[in-house]
Amino acid sequence: MSTAPDLPEPPYQDLDPMLTRKFGKEIANYFAGSPLNRVSFLRSDHIFLSSALHHPTASFLLFNDLKPLVKDPTKLAFAKFQDVKPLVGGNPFAKPEEQIIEDYNSSTTIPQMVFLGLDERIKDGLVHKDVYTGGPMWALDVTPKGSIKAEAQNLVETLESSGLNFQEGRMILSLPAHEAAIYAQARSMLDWNARNPFCAGCGQPTLSINAGGKRACPPKDFAQVQGVVGSTTAATPTQSADRKPCATRGRVSNLSFPRTDPTVIMAVISSDGDRLLLGRQKTWPPYWYSTLAGFCEPAESLEEAVRREVWEEAGVRLSRVVIHSSQPWPYPANLMIGAIGQAVPGSEIDLGNDPELEDARWWTFEDLREALRVGTSGLGEPAGPEYKEGNLRLPPPTAFVEFCALLNRIGANVH
């Protein structure tokens, strides 16, 4: 049984504002609580980005096929600019963004970089306009591919020969809270860029801009021009760099923005307030249960999504629904919205609607207390030594936001 890392602390815990007295303390969940100031309004400022790229305190979190570079499963490893310079070049932000779009050439593989923000904990970091300070933090995709395959492969081999490795595994839930938040942002942004190489409006290749925060459909592509390196090999290539028209270039929404999928996850309490509804899928280990969850659909409120998902999966109708807290979930780009709902009196479990669950049942809070004490683990990991076979097992607190609600409800302390 592995030890789950601590959850992050919300900011300004030393204050006692009116909202805290009225609604209780704020809850921060795993993958939240980033130490970075994203300064998103500076992502189009090529002068700032150039300074942030070359500053001595700049750090780069590298990913190979979305696997992060780590020292071990509990510690990220960061590179410096000199390590990645052979791959990214001297200064990819030397020209204004408008010029980069104008000079677009789809035959050239550009290493995907994302500016994550300024780490304000670093006191000797970059100072911009005497206002914004901190160590610049970047994410960089070093997956060997395209015209940079050789340079990327050499970098990967150099890093691995130094004792570092790119962490395998579908989900990473063992990092300290502040590193988990940085990792979540980096992975989500790199994954989104990798999934959107073509324009949704016209199908032509897109270009990453805004330091990795947006993608544009450029009006020209110099890969089409005869004589340009990487140009088409057709017998009579076009002499124009102009691309076919695209509706996205003539509207306000002429850019592609990162995607976030809202997902509700529910701690459902029985009508008498003494039990909690949990379900399990066929592929899960024996006796492993979790709260119910599902995607929020278009034109649906969060409360409506909670009620719909619980009825579809378990046949239970809900009365009052309360939104509890939220959690970024970078697999690939979900925002988990934790809710507490209470069942309507007389509402019985019925698995005859959506076949997603193998089983769903009501558990007493005593069952839950015992499972939280000895029966939590990652998927596929063993439970604690005191666990008795046949009793309830649960995911770790890092995995699902509803455990904060669950723990608060049964009088435990998540921190």
Side-chain angles (χ1 to χ4, degrees), residues 36 88 119 127 141 149 164 175 210 219 235-236 260-261 285-286 318-319 347 371 400 409:
L36 305 183
V88 304
D119 189 342
V127 179
D141 184 2
K149 183 175 182 178
L164 304 175
L175 297 170
N210 218 235
T236 55
T260 296
D261 299 323
L318 299 185
S319 55
S347 189
F400 298 104
R409 175 65 181 81

Side-chain angles (χ1 to χ4, degrees), residues 354-391:
D354 189 334
E356 180 175 342
L357 296 182
E358 177 188 57
D359 186 33
R361 63 179 69 176
W362 295 103
W363 297 86
T364 68
F365 287 106
E366 186 56 41
D367 294 330
L368 294 163
R369 288 190 187 96
E370 182 65 10
L372 288 166
R373 189 177 72 85
V374 300
T376 62
S377 70
L379 195 63
E381 296 179 353
E386 297 182 62
Y387 172 76
K388 295 180 181 180
E389 187 72 13
N391 287 352

Side-chain angles (χ1 to χ4, degrees), residues 186-251:
R187 188 193 189 282
S188 295
M189 294 299 292
L190 288 178
D191 189 30
W192 169 75
N193 274 282
R195 289 172 185 263
N196 290 271
F198 300 103
C199 177
C202 66
Q204 298 177 101
T206 55
L207 170 67
S208 175
I209 60 172
N210 218 235
K214 299 177 184 178
R215 297 192 71 88
C217 181
K220 297 181 179 181
D221 184 356
F222 282 91
Q224 301 178 149
V225 179
Q226 186 178 25
V228 173
V229 174
S231 64
T232 178
T233 56
T236 55
T238 177
Q239 297 299 307
S240 173
D242 294 333
R243 301 212 292 184
K244 64 181 181 181
C246 178
T248 65
R249 300 190 203 117
R251 300 176 182 174

